[in-house]
Amino acid sequence: MKVNSRKALSRLSLRSLLASKKQNIITVFAIILTTVLFTTLFTTFISLRNTLNLQQMKDYGDSSYAIMAVGDEDELESLRGLPGVKDVGVSIELGYTPDKTFVAYCDQTASGFVFSVPSEGHLPSSPDEVVMSRAQLQKIGSDASIGDQVTVDYVVYSSDREVLVSDTFTLSGITSDDSHYILVSEDYARDVISDLSENIGMYLYAHLDFLAGSEFRVYDIAEELGLDPRCVLINPAFESSSDPLGPEGIAAVVVLMLLIFFTGFLIIYNIFQITVANKVRDYGLLKTVGVTSKQIRKIIRKQSAFLCIIGVPIGLIAGYLIGVSMVPVLLRQTVYGAITPVSGFNILVFLGAAAVSVITVLISSSVPGRKASKVSPIDALRYNEAKVSVSKREKVNASIPSMSFANLGRNRMRTFLVVLSISLALVLFDTLCTFIDNFDMNDYIQSHTPSMDFTVSTPSYFAGEHDDYLTLEEVSEISSHIESDHCGIAYMPENFSTYVDGRIDYPAQVVGVENELLSEVDIIEGDISSMYEDGTASVIATANSSLHIGDTVSVTFASDYHYRDPRTGTVYESPNDVPQNLDFYDLEMIPVGGEKEYRVCAITEDYPSSFSPLFIFADKSEQLILNEQQIDDLTDGHYSIMCFCADAVSSEAAAEAEAYLHELAGSSSHFDYTSIETVREDFDQFLGAVKYIGGFLCGIVGIIAVLNFINAILTGIISRKREFALLQAVGMTGRQLRKMLVIEGLFYAAISVLFSLPFALLVNTLFKRIDLFWSPSTAHLTVVPILILLPVLALLGSYIPCVIYGKVRGTSIVDDRRTNE
Amino acid sequence: MAILRAEGLKKTYGKGESRVEALRGVDLAVNKGEFVAIVGTSGSGKSTLLHMLGGLDRPTEGKVFIDDKDIFALKDEALTILRRRKIGFVFQSFNLVPVLNVMENIVLPLELDGAKTDKEHIDNIIEMLDLKSQIHKLPTQLSGGQQQRVAIARALAGRPTVILADEPTGNLDSKTSQDVMSLFRVTADKFSQTIVMITHNTEIAQTADRIIRIEDGLIANR
Ligand SMILES: Nc1ncnc2c1ncn2[C@@H]1O[C@H](COP(=O)(O)OP(=O)(O)OP(=O)(O)O)[C@@H](O)[C@H]1O
Ligand SMILES: [Mg+2]
């Protein structure tokens, strides 16, 4: 009969665990809660990050880590099978359509990377086949289905002239709208290139995906192949600086993690602490039999591990479900409100959350465990004899409230922890209420509403992309539905290709507006009356520019670029003139095109919110406002409608226009608009999310507080059962005993409220400093929410002890006697 | 040869006004196979002495030797291990682990040691203590006398060098007390087990080979 100590210890751990069921239920609950919190946090974080990251990739059009421009098939072949390289896709880019969709050949792998795997049909296999998305078909005005003929017009990449190609294909497949590509077959691509060969290099691209951790090798690989590092284009979605959640997001996760760790620790520590305190005698007893300190610690560790085995899996599942349901709510707060979230299901999330929970449990149980291991066997033996020594010290004739109060002081640490966790919930709740209360809708609307009632444009404008524009016919159709006495169009140059004083590095931002809209510009200095004159040279600059009143600026609208060698000063008019031995990257580009001189007549703080370009180049860009005639002259007609702005004549007219625009934006993905109503919706959504998430947090912290409280009361009763029996023996009635416990509960509540008041004020004061969501001048602090919770606390404080006492007393005084003898 | 030896044992509790000198210099030697009874009035220091002898507590001054080894030279952890290998305790209040059944209680110290249980030996003990029909019961399902027999079985299971018993009959009626005492006697004879036992009862003390009287923290001269 060979046995080892592990078995004996396991048996001891398990049996004594099973002997104290009530405490275990609370502990398991606490473990579940902690795990739920961690899992929710991680799942939400990962899922949010994956979703935003995927969206970044979709916006960029590619999901491979890097694209490498390679010279020929051989180089391509040598990329495959390199260590660290997971997948290589190949594409040959031919050119682009007028609306900037690429026309290219992609192999199976590459089509996966560029979100262009056909959802119906197949990739082009013969030269007359093509694959495109529904959205692209719509843009060229076709409703073809698979097998139908489609004509694609596009410009072939060419360095000196625009080679327009128009070909008719058979539609062989349809991709999702995420695709930025129109796919053709390899044979077709090679034919086009060889037909135009003299001016076109072969654009052969390798889309590289790496095994995790090998990404850094990409430049080494390029070097090994003898490629210029500039042939490597890293996907911006993978750059660490473009983490979709940003440093604030990650900081928030870390803070939340610490908070959860702390609350989890608080409650689990507390429970173990109390459990161990109740079993001091048992541990001492084990020591007389020869259980070492180490083995006692092991017993407690085993018990926590066992409770983890029950609690953690439940917590993981529940936390995952909660996390998944929270992602859409959070997503609505980002610019990607409408996208479908990617699941955060990741085995690492589970392992991580489980690990953090288990660590929390082990740390929280290790302190009480150490305490238990230090119990001296003598004390355990004496404990037996000195059964009533605690009560002896107490004056039995003391008043009941003073006895209750004295009880709180017996285990100061426990009392403190309970008070702390109740206070935490109170402070959090108060902060949330103050936040919601002070969050000023008018303030928000004022700062977020454009200066005019309606701004209408395309979704692309509102997303800051500026690659889809309204047409004049569309605007006149829209304006006919808005009864307005003050409206106008704002224009922008095509391709953003405007430069100030020939500076290529900082494209200038230019907006041209109809005269009607000039009055919307808030002038802080100068006079704009000269801008209404015919052929005027006056323009408005924003305060972000380096320009001042009276300055002359020369603006170029580039229709072409020349190349200058800074070392020799030679200017090459066409890329074809550039000698073979020179590298384009070493040359300066010089914009050439219509050039106009203007004089700054006025300065405005910023573009009016109604027609501000939402694409910002760089801090150093000059920002100008021109009138309609000026932008027409400057760009020689190459300008687009940025947006149409209108003020309604009356509130009825506004309501009608709102209804019309709402309908319009809902029915077509080509239109979008902002108005007071849409801002109000945004506001409601934002506030809704604050309430949802804040309420969730408050709820969790509140549950933790109540659990802590129940636990303190429960153990307070269990550990004093013998003492209660004595008190009853000397004449205390059951009613009086219950009264004592209720008063004890009320003391907890009262102390917690008193404790939390100054903290709530402090936190609110700190919050008030942040001029983010409310104006500090009008914000008012309040502790009313805490006071409102007072009766709830009082009710819980008196109800819980009653219930627990009733339950405990019902079963066990006799049992307990017997067990202890 | 003295298997258990104490030299100049002193133990002082508390400080200042509440200072108690529980032991004031005790010298003692117990030979192998000897059955010693310690008697004395309440508060004279008997339990304190027994605790020191068993290494449950450290003396203020003096040494205890078991098998000629100074046990207090050991660290706590090692002392605990020594205790479970060489000493069997029996207390007035049985001190059985309530969640383990009789058999599990008896073999607990052995299992904790990871030692091979000598099944024959255990069966012998159980037979002798008449616990055969009880081995699957929990301590709470046993009478006081039965519980104390389990405690004795547990003390014997590891073939300890010495059994230390603090008023083992204190919670038992006189008939049961007699039974327990004769068990001790038999054990001492049959296994030539060294036993040190505290008792209030001079009649019970007569069962022992030798009686030591403690008075006020010192061994009284006979
Ligand atoms: N942990 C302790 N702290 C303070 N004083 C103690 C402690 N343990 C024992 N004493 C004191 O030491 C003295 C001896 O106690 P001990 O328990 O050894 O007496 P005893 O002879 O076993 O008495 P009894 O027959 O009543 O069990 C007593 O005066 C007791 O009050
Ligand atoms: Mg005693």
Side-chain angles (χ1 to χ4, degrees):
Chain A
M1 186 156 96
K2 166 83 186 156
V3 271
N4 60 25
S5 64
R6 223 184 57 219
K7 206 162 130 199
L9 289 181
S10 298
R11 185 194 298 140
L12 259 181
S13 313
L14 210 65
R15 294 272 179 83
S16 59
L17 197 63
L18 295 178
S20 47
K21 288 209 186 68
K22 276 185 200 111
Q23 224 116 33
N24 293 332
I25 289 171
I26 297 187
T27 316
V28 168
F29 221 74
I31 294 174
I32 291 177
L33 205 69
T34 311
T35 316
V36 163
L37 290 177
F38 277 127
T39 319
T40 305
L41 180 71
F42 290 172
T43 311
T44 311
F45 174 70
I46 299 284
S47 167
L48 205 58
R49 210 163 160 272
N50 286 352
T51 308
L52 295 181
N53 201 246
L54 181 64
Q55 195 57 37
Q56 275 182 333
M57 292 181 191
K58 284 182 176 172
D59 290 350
Y60 175 67
D62 197 340
S63 64
S64 64
Y65 177 75
I67 299 176
M68 197 180 279
V70 293
D72 54 36
E73 302 288 325
D74 291 344
E75 285 179 352
L76 197 66
E77 216 37 59
S78 55
L79 277 174
R80 297 182 205 273
L82 280 180
V85 176
K86 191 166 126 198
D87 247 335
V88 181
V90 186
S91 68
I92 302 172
E93 301 215 342
L94 292 177
Y96 46 89
T97 66
D99 61 43
K100 298 282 180 292
T101 307
F102 299 111
V103 176
Y105 154 73
C106 286
D107 70 354
Q108 187 78 41
T109 317
S111 67
F113 286 144
V114 298
F115 305 102
S116 304
V117 175
S119 47
E120 312 165 36
H122 57 85
L123 285 172
S125 50
S126 71
D128 67 336
E129 284 183 327
V130 76
V131 161
M132 55 205 293
S133 71
R134 280 260 163 257
Q136 288 154 1
L137 283 168
Q138 215 168 33
K139 273 184 196 159
I140 60 170
S142 161
D143 58 354
S145 45
I146 291 180
D148 292 351
Q149 302 284 299
V150 203
T151 303
V152 179
D153 300 320
Y154 65 99
V155 181
V156 175
Y157 284 124
S158 160
S159 38
D160 65 336
R161 64 206 157 100
E162 299 207 325
V163 183
L164 271 164
V165 176
S166 180
D167 267 322
T168 302
F169 300 90
T170 307
L171 191 65
S172 75
I174 291 178
T175 64
S176 82
D177 288 350
D178 292 325
S179 169
H180 292 199
Y181 284 80
I182 291 175
L183 299 184
V184 295
S185 65
E186 182 167 12
D187 294 345
Y188 174 84
R190 290 187 185 277
D191 281 352
V192 169
I193 289 168
S194 57
D195 281 357
L196 300 161
S197 60
E198 75 280 23
N199 288 321
I200 308 174
M202 172 102 130
Y203 288 85
L204 192 59
Y205 290 118
H207 300 246
L208 297 175
D209 206 10
F210 289 85
L211 295 172
S214 299
E215 291 88 351
F216 67 93
R217 293 204 59 234
V218 66
Y219 286 109
D220 296 346
I221 290 174
E223 204 177 308
E224 280 163 30
L225 294 180
L227 295 171
D228 192 292
R230 284 172 297 201
C231 293
V232 176
L233 199 61
I234 308 271
N235 188 338
F238 284 99
E239 269 161 23
S240 52
S241 58
S242 64
D243 190 290
L245 291 182
E248 298 91 349
I250 291 171
V253 168
V254 170
V255 168
L256 275 177
M257 232 180 100
L258 289 178
L259 194 76
I260 295 169
F261 177 80
F262 176 73
T263 40
F265 175 80
L266 202 71
I267 179 162
I268 298 172
Y269 170 84
N270 202 359
I271 291 172
F272 272 100
Q273 164 92 5
I274 294 166
T275 314
V276 164
N278 287 343
K279 290 194 175 160
V280 165
R281 199 182 144 265
D282 294 355
Y283 293 124
L285 185 154
L286 286 176
K287 273 193 152 178
T288 63
V289 186
V291 180
T292 65
S293 307
K294 242 187 235 152
Q295 287 173 323
I296 286 185
R297 280 207 293 275
K298 214 181 257 172
I299 288 176
I300 292 180
R301 251 203 320 275
K302 271 177 196 287
Q303 293 182 337
S304 352
F306 182 76
L307 295 177
C308 279
I309 289 173
I310 302 174
V312 167
I314 300 177
L316 286 178
I317 294 167
Y320 177 71
L321 295 178
I322 297 174
V324 164
S325 73
M326 260 171 82
V327 172
V329 179
L330 289 170
L331 269 180
R332 253 177 257 142
Q333 300 317 305
T334 71
V335 290
Y336 303 117
I339 58 177
T340 345
V342 180
S343 103
F345 186 85
N346 182 335
I347 194 72
L348 284 180
V349 167
F350 282 79
L351 290 181
V356 185
S357 308
V358 171
I359 289 171
T360 311
V361 173
L362 289 186
I363 291 181
S364 345
S365 68
S366 78
V367 180
R370 196 159 314 135
K371 204 176 251 177
S373 74
K374 291 227 176 79
V375 170
S376 113
I378 300 291
D379 286 348
L381 291 175
R382 286 182 58 80
Y383 192 99
N384 249 353
E385 293 147 25
K387 280 171 193 166
V388 289
S389 66
V390 183
S391 351
K392 265 185 202 158
R393 266 190 271 120
E394 252 161 47
K395 302 165 210 107
V396 176
N397 62 355
S399 76
I400 290 177
S402 71
M403 274 173 72
S404 307
F405 193 72
N407 281 336
L408 292 185
R410 269 198 202 171
N411 189 335
R412 295 213 172 83
M413 189 63 187
R414 182 209 296 165
T415 309
F416 176 71
L417 288 178
V418 172
V419 166
L420 196 67
S421 79
I422 299 177
S423 301
L424 191 69
L426 290 177
V427 170
L428 203 67
F429 179 70
D430 186 64
T431 308
L432 180 68
C433 290
T434 313
F435 184 87
I436 291 169
D437 186 38
N438 276 308
F439 197 90
D440 191 348
M441 170 122 163
N442 291 329
D443 218 43
Y444 179 94
I445 289 179
Q446 212 130 59
S447 60
H448 286 74
T449 311
S451 43
M452 295 175 72
D453 289 354
F454 298 100
T455 299
V456 190
S457 185
T458 60
S460 143
Y461 163 74
F462 292 106
E465 287 165 359
H466 298 288
D467 57 9
D468 184 20
Y469 305 99
L470 297 181
T471 62
L472 273 177
E473 296 79 62
E474 285 164 349
V475 168
S476 68
E477 168 70 17
I478 291 166
S479 71
S480 72
H481 285 88
I482 304 177
E483 201 184 328
S484 170
D485 51 0
H486 179 53
C487 62
I489 304 177
Y491 301 97
M492 59 195 304
E494 282 176 6
N495 303 332
F496 311 111
S497 31
T498 42
Y499 303 91
V500 166
D501 300 332
R503 277 164 41 204
I504 192 86
D505 40 350
Y506 300 117
Q509 252 176 339
V510 172
V511 170
V513 298
E514 291 186 324
N515 285 350
E516 185 73 25
L517 293 184
L518 278 176
S519 58
E520 285 296 317
V521 183
D522 272 330
I523 299 303
I524 53 175
E525 200 188 343
D527 173 31
I528 61 164
S529 55
S530 58
M531 283 193 70
Y532 294 94
E533 291 163 17
D534 230 16
T536 179
S538 299
V539 294
I540 306 168
T542 72
N544 304 328
S545 312
S546 61
L547 300 167
H548 304 284
I549 288 186
D551 285 356
T552 312
V553 280
S554 136
V555 181
T556 309
F557 176 76
S559 52
D560 199 3
Y561 296 89
H562 289 174
Y563 299 84
R564 200 180 83 95
D565 188 337
R567 288 159 300 195
T568 61
T570 324
V571 174
Y572 306 99
E573 302 214 335
S574 146
N576 296 311
D577 303 341
V578 178
Q580 289 284 316
N581 60 344
L582 280 185
D583 196 325
F584 274 99
Y585 294 108
D586 296 333
L587 302 179
E588 285 173 356
M589 266 168 64
I590 305 168
V592 263
E595 189 172 331
K596 292 278 185 272
E597 293 256 315
Y598 299 108
R599 200 186 58 82
V600 175
C601 70
I603 302 288
T604 176
E605 187 64 48
D606 204 345
Y607 285 113
S609 47
S610 289
F611 47 91
S612 171
L614 295 175
F615 185 92
I616 308 296
F617 295 120
D619 292 345
K620 289 183 183 161
S621 289
E622 308 292 4
Q623 299 180 320
L624 299 173
I625 299 177
L626 277 55
N627 68 26
E628 187 184 2
Q629 195 190 3
Q630 285 170 325
I631 196 167
D632 188 17
D633 287 348
L634 175 69
T635 63
D636 197 21
H638 291 285
Y639 60 98
S640 321
I641 295 175
M642 183 171 83
C643 59
F644 168 71
C645 309
D647 271 335
V649 285
S650 62
S651 47
E652 293 86 55
E656 266 169 44
E658 176 73 39
Y660 164 71
L661 290 171
H662 188 82
E663 162 83 34
L664 183 69
S667 64
S668 160
S669 64
H670 180 53
F671 300 102
D672 202 0
Y673 72 107
T674 58
S675 67
I676 293 192
E677 209 43 55
T678 62
V679 171
R680 186 168 292 152
E681 269 167 31
D682 286 352
F683 174 84
D684 285 346
Q685 215 164 61
F686 176 74
L687 206 59
V690 168
K691 282 182 189 161
Y692 180 83
I693 294 162
F696 178 75
L697 263 183
C698 278
I700 292 286
V701 178
I703 291 174
I704 289 178
V706 170
L707 271 180
N708 261 328
F709 178 66
I710 291 179
N711 188 47
I713 295 291
L714 176 67
T715 46
I717 293 172
I718 292 175
S719 63
R720 283 181 292 166
K721 247 189 273 176
R722 204 185 303 244
E723 182 185 329
F724 288 171
L726 183 97
L727 286 173
Q728 281 182 311
V730 296
M732 192 180 229
T733 64
R735 271 178 71 115
Q736 284 172 317
L737 208 59
R738 192 167 307 189
K739 190 169 152 199
M740 187 176 90
L741 290 170
V742 166
I743 293 173
E744 218 172 297
L746 291 176
F747 269 130
Y748 272 115
I751 295 173
S752 304
V753 167
L754 288 179
F755 190 74
S756 60
L757 285 179
F759 278 97
L761 282 174
L762 186 76
V763 171
N764 283 345
T765 317
L766 289 179
F767 243 111
K768 191 180 149 173
R769 292 263 185 85
I770 309 170
D771 180 19
L772 194 55
F773 302 110
W774 58 46
S775 48
S777 51
T778 58
H780 50 275
L781 309 179
T782 172
V783 290
V784 172
I786 293 186
L787 299 180
I788 289 176
L789 278 188
L790 201 55
V792 180
L793 280 175
L795 208 68
L796 284 178
S798 50
Y799 182 69
I800 290 174
C802 273
V803 172
I804 294 178
Y805 178 64
K807 282 239 169 3
V808 171
R809 191 191 51 168
T811 53
S812 46
I813 277 193
V814 183
D815 286 352
D816 191 55
R817 269 274 156 83
R818 188 125 170 91
T819 342
N820 274 316
E821 257 142 41
Chain B
M1 192 203 78
I3 206 165
L4 171 67
R5 197 148 49 82
E7 279 179 9
L9 273 190
K10 290 188 183 171
K11 179 72 183 178
T12 314
Y13 292 109
K15 281 199 190 88
E17 250 181 69
S18 59
R19 188 181 144 97
V20 181
E21 288 188 37
L23 292 180
R24 301 192 293 152
V26 172
D27 295 305
L28 176 81
V30 179
N31 290 326
K32 178 155 175 53
E34 216 180 349
F35 183 1
V36 177
I38 298 179
V39 295
T41 52
S42 182
S44 56
K46 304 182 296 293
S47 296
T48 309
L49 174 62
L50 197 84
H51 295 160
M52 302 296 138
L53 292 178
L56 280 176
D57 203 1
R58 289 178 186 270
T60 318
E61 245 179 72
K63 290 180 176 167
V64 170
F65 298 89
I66 293 178
D67 283 341
D68 274 335
K69 286 192 201 83
D70 179 358
I71 64 167
F72 294 115
L74 299 172
K75 291 251 164 14
D76 278 351
E77 193 79 2
L79 186 56
T80 308
I81 293 171
L82 174 127
R83 204 157 59 219
R84 81 178 168 221
R85 289 187 184 156
K86 302 218 159 175
I87 298 165
F89 281 105
V90 180
F91 296 104
Q92 177 177 357
S93 53
F94 326 132
N95 282 8
L96 299 178
V97 180
V99 293
L100 299 181
N101 70 26
V102 168
M103 188 59 176
E104 289 163 345
N105 259 294
I106 292 174
V107 297
L108 179 63
L110 293 172
E111 291 194 339
L112 286 172
D113 223 21
K116 203 170 148 70
T117 325
D118 183 345
K119 189 151 181 7
E120 203 177 321
H121 178 58
I122 304 285
D123 284 346
N124 270 343
I125 293 171
I126 289 174
E127 183 94 23
M128 183 182 84
L129 295 174
D130 195 17
L131 288 168
K132 194 130 191 114
S133 54
Q134 322 287 341
I135 54 171
H136 294 300
K137 289 189 177 163
L138 288 175
T140 44
Q141 297 166 325
L142 301 181
S143 73
Q146 288 167 327
Q147 287 190 54
Q148 195 59 300
R149 282 191 310 221
V150 175
I152 293 169
R154 181 177 64 188
L156 283 170
R159 299 182 196 273
T161 311
V162 55
I163 285 184
L164 300 176
D166 192 346
E167 291 183 44
T169 56
N171 275 345
L172 305 175
D173 62 50
S174 58
K175 166 76 177 63
T176 323
S177 296
Q178 281 301 332
D179 292 350
V180 168
M181 281 326 295
S182 51
L183 270 176
F184 271 116
R185 188 64 256 175
V186 170
T187 320
D189 295 343
K190 192 168 163 191
F191 300 111
S192 59
Q193 176 69 60
T194 316
I195 299 171
V196 178
M197 181 186 72
I198 293 175
T199 180
H200 265 126
N201 187 328
T202 35
E203 192 186 327
I204 280 178
Q206 300 309 322
T207 327
D209 300 334
R210 172 152 68 109
I211 297 177
I212 296 175
R213 185 171 298 280
I214 302 268
E215 269 168 27
D216 213 6
L218 285 172
I219 291 183
N221 290 323
R222 273 148 290 175

